[in-house]
Amino acid sequence: MAWYDEAVFYHIYPLGLTGAPKQNSYGEPEHRLNTLLPWIGHIRSIGCNALYIGPLFESVGHGYETTDYRKLDSRLGTNGDLKSFVANCHDQGVRVIFDGVFNHVGRDFFAFQDVKKNRENSRYRDWFCNVNFWGNNEYNDGFSYDNWGGYNLLVKLNQKNPEVVAYICDVVRFWVSEFDVDGIRLDAADVLDMDFMKALRGVANEVKPEFWLMGEVIHGEYSRWVNEGTLHSVTNYHLHKALYSGHNDHNYFEIAHTVKRLYDMGGRPGGLRLYNFSDNHDVERIYTKLNNKAHFTPVHILVYTLPGIPSVYYGSEFGIEGRKERFSDDSLRLALRLEDYKNALTDCPCTKLIAALGAVRQSEKALSYGDYKELILTNRLYAFSRSFEGRTVLVTVNNDDQDARADLPAGNAAAYAGALGGETVPVNGGRISVNVKANSGEIWIPACDGEPNDPCTVKTEEDRSYANIEHAEESDRQKDDIRQMQENVQTVEGIHSSDNLKTASVHRQDVMQAVPDEEQEPDTMQAEQDEAQEPDVMQTEPGEMQEPADTGTESGAGQSETCREDIVRKQPVKVPSSKSYEEMSVEELQQAVLEKMAKNGPVTDEMRRTVDENIWHDSLVNWVKSFR
């Protein structure tokens, strides 16, 4: 059991949150990072105990075109500011991981500047991939080179060069010795050289106990990256996609199928412990992505209770919106003023929900370490259990506009209490019968038979709210922090505002809360089915799954693949057996991935679309190699 196994992450893109200029003049440092110090208290108040922050180091623009790995970006401050910030996080019980952008560098990076100056005579010419002095580019360098994503602004490092590997490993050692960082998120890990990542894992094991490596991986079989010799975790893009589309399409089968596949891939309780998220700095805000804004509640219940490590992207706890633009991610990386949200813990349903989920997650070890069993599965109702050391937590979510009832196998407790709504239900014959509110959900925990002040006992009507869930095992200092934040969130002095700041979304009243209405009789769920109506009470035995009549597709709520008119099928190309994957074209690699998928089961239109959208050669090579 390591700290990251029980982590709840908060994710900050610092150049955006602080309102830093889009371009770096490399002038005198501006101490914007210090304006984020009050956010540490906010992070604790909503139940997070870990922070992923980055990119942080000197760059010319958005942060991912690194100029200097050993210097905090001048727009954020000095190395002393960063060292103090991490120390403050540690003092308040928050672990910190940095963004490690090691696949590519910016054109101002010292080694690339040397290549520009000395060309063939540069000692750094082999630090970069496929430097061709017979070529040229839009910068008129008089040579060409491999880049990332088609952008020559991002010069690809040669991770097979021992000097490059040694240099980056020394950077990691420096970050630990200078800033006391607790881990690294590896940018573009799905195109990093595997031996390079194994070298980083060796450094991680050397520099600090429980130093955590998490990789950004979008496609492929995650077990190729997550193992004892490479990374501890990767970003769970498979679940991210399933979470929003499974709710927009009223199709919990998509979510459950994804969860089971990833859980089985892990081969142990808790699965692969992937980094679960509903949104981040590269994708649209979840509040924007959801057709029904009330689904914010069941989506986040799942983020916090399914196997994996939950996270929140800054501002999404307030329900802010952000739509991805064609040529800019600025709308996803807004500058925010914490003082504009000082009453969010009491007035904003989104914030209260996130804080409650954070408290439950940290008090219930079954949600971090427990096994996973699917109990009920229909298009619109989903229930599962997480069990650890004899304690079973039950989770129910409902994406329908009507309440539903669920009959669930229970653990060995006499009663269960709703951690979010506060309702207590008795266990009869080893089962509980619960109402699952429309477009909402609940986390059912064993009700305690202990003393009246036991934190897992529902005591009064006033306690039946998100904001009053207590941590079962938190320290007195942490309780004081949370009480203080509930009274008044600390304000930020001198933070830069943004023209794009959207304060109208601070108080999201249209998010459906899970607090039970005592005067209203629960309705049965009227789930829409192709042929017949669902019964109002779903019953299963532990581990049993109820299938719909049509299971020919992973998504679409029973819709057949052939009736999807928005899919234009490309003529398949032949995968050449005489070529290695590295020698294949993008189209050949895409076809190879589809053929590998077909061997594992039906290939849906959504899966085809995902493959078609991946046009990056290195990523496709890693993807096709990831299949077992």
Side-chain angles (χ1 to χ4, degrees), residues 64 66 69 101-106 148 154-157 187-188:
Y64 289 98
T66 309
Y69 286 108
V101 188
F102 301 147
N103 178 67
H104 46 265
V105 296
W148 182 87
L154 307 174
V155 190
K156 185 169 177 61
L157 284 169
D187 182 64

Side-chain angles (χ1 to χ4, degrees), residues 8 45-48 296-305 310-312 349-364 367 395 397 419-420 441-443 465-467 469 471 514:
V8 179
S45 77
I46 60 172
C48 296
F296 185 94
T297 294
V299 163
H300 284 90
I301 289 175
L302 293 175
V303 168
Y304 275 76
T305 58
S311 66
V312 180
C350 293
T351 313
K352 290 194 289 184
L353 172 68
I354 296 300
L357 291 171
V360 176
R361 176 75 186 206
Q362 293 191 22
S363 67
E364 289 295 333
L367 297 179
V395 180
V397 286
L420 302 180
E442 184 59 278
I443 305 170
S465 67
Y466 296 137
I469 295 180
H471 295 207

Side-chain angles (χ1 to χ4, degrees), residues 103-107 112 125 127-133 136-137 141 143-159 191 582 617-618:
N103 178 67
H104 46 265
V105 296
R107 288 172 51 83
F112 186 77
R125 57 177 293 179
W127 277 40
F128 307 102
C129 293
N130 294 324
V131 176
N132 177 13
F133 292 103
N136 205 352
N137 56 31
D141 288 327
F143 61 91
S144 61
Y145 49 85
D146 284 358
N147 59 40
W148 182 87
Y151 302 102
N152 277 323
L153 181 67
L154 307 174
V155 190
K156 185 169 177 61
L157 284 169
N158 180 7
Q159 298 135 28
V191 295
E582 286 77 10
H617 187 274
D618 289 353

Side-chain angles (χ1 to χ4, degrees), residues 27 56 518 556 607:
L56 286 163
E518 300 295 341
M607 294 163 71

Side-chain angles (χ1 to χ4, degrees), residues 216-503:
E216 179 195 28
V217 175
I218 299 176
H219 306 292
E221 300 289 313
Y222 290 151
S223 58
R224 183 167 187 252
W225 289 268
V226 182
N227 51 66
E228 292 300 320
T230 316
L231 307 181
H232 298 91
S233 182
V234 295
T235 49
N236 195 352
Y237 271 89
H238 292 325
L239 181 62
H240 160 255
K241 186 270 170 188
L243 284 171
Y244 69 78
S245 63
H247 282 87
N248 286 344
D249 296 339
H250 293 284
N251 182 16
Y252 276 146
F253 282 93
E254 180 181 2
I255 297 176
H257 172 83
T258 300
V259 171
K260 185 177 186 304
R261 179 171 172 272
L262 294 173
Y263 182 74
D264 291 345
M265 190 186 301
R268 65 180 188 273
L272 293 175
R273 302 198 196 286
L274 303 173
Y275 181 89
N276 293 344
F277 62 96
S278 61
D279 51 17
N280 61 29
H281 64 302
D282 287 327
V283 300
E284 288 187 343
R285 295 276 182 174
I286 188 61
Y287 205 87
T288 299
K289 201 77 172 174
L290 292 172
N291 296 337
N292 183 346
K293 306 308 180 186
H295 287 161
F296 185 94
T297 294
V299 163
H300 284 90
I301 289 175
L302 293 175
V303 168
Y304 275 76
T305 58
L306 286 170
I309 300 169
S311 66
V312 180
Y313 180 47
Y314 83 91
S316 287
E317 73 272 28
F318 307 130
I320 71 171
E321 300 213 33
R323 191 173 301 281
K324 194 172 179 68
E325 300 167 355
R326 185 174 182 184
F327 298 111
S328 172
D329 288 329
D330 291 350
S331 61
L332 312 177
R333 305 169 180 182
L334 296 177
L336 301 180
R337 290 158 43 95
L338 189 56
E339 61 187 10
D340 291 336
Y341 301 90
K342 62 184 178 181
N343 298 320
L345 272 172
T346 56
D347 297 347
C348 177
C350 293
T351 313
K352 290 194 289 184
L353 172 68
I354 296 300
L357 291 171
V360 176
R361 176 75 186 206
Q362 293 191 22
S363 67
E364 289 295 333
K365 288 189 179 297
L367 297 179
S368 297
Y369 302 105
D371 64 7
Y372 163 85
K373 287 185 179 180
E374 189 178 285
L375 303 179
I376 291 178
L377 179 58
T378 72
N379 285 330
R380 300 179 182 236
L381 183 65
Y382 179 29
F384 56 89
S385 67
R386 302 292 307 278
S387 300
F388 180 69
E389 294 183 344
R391 185 175 176 87
T392 296
V393 175
L394 305 173
V395 180
T396 53
V397 286
N398 176 10
N399 65 46
D400 195 70
D401 292 333
Q402 300 294 324
D403 285 14
R405 292 206 64 83
D407 185 70
L408 304 170
N412 54 10
Y416 271 74
L420 302 180
E423 179 186 4
T424 301
V425 293
V427 175
N428 292 316
R431 308 183 74 86
I432 60 171
S433 181
V434 299
N435 180 57
V436 189
K437 296 189 74 67
N439 298 314
S440 191
E442 184 59 278
I443 305 170
W444 302 95
I445 60 176
C448 294
D449 297 324
E451 298 179 0
N453 289 329
D454 194 314
C456 67
T457 302
V458 178
K459 299 179 282 294
T460 67
E461 265 322 295
E462 293 180 356
D463 290 328
R464 296 185 178 188
S465 67
Y466 296 137
N468 286 299
I469 295 180
E470 298 177 335
H471 295 207
E473 299 180 5
E474 66 184 357
S475 66
D476 291 337
R477 183 194 67 190
Q478 292 168 341
K479 290 181 180 179
D480 290 341
D481 287 345
I482 290 177
R483 281 195 290 268
Q484 181 179 356
M485 283 298 299
Q486 287 175 334
E487 293 172 2
N488 183 26
V489 177
Q490 299 178 41
T491 59
V492 180
E493 295 293 333
I495 194 168
H496 288 72
S497 62
S498 168
D499 292 337
N500 292 324
L501 180 64
K502 300 178 182 178
T503 57

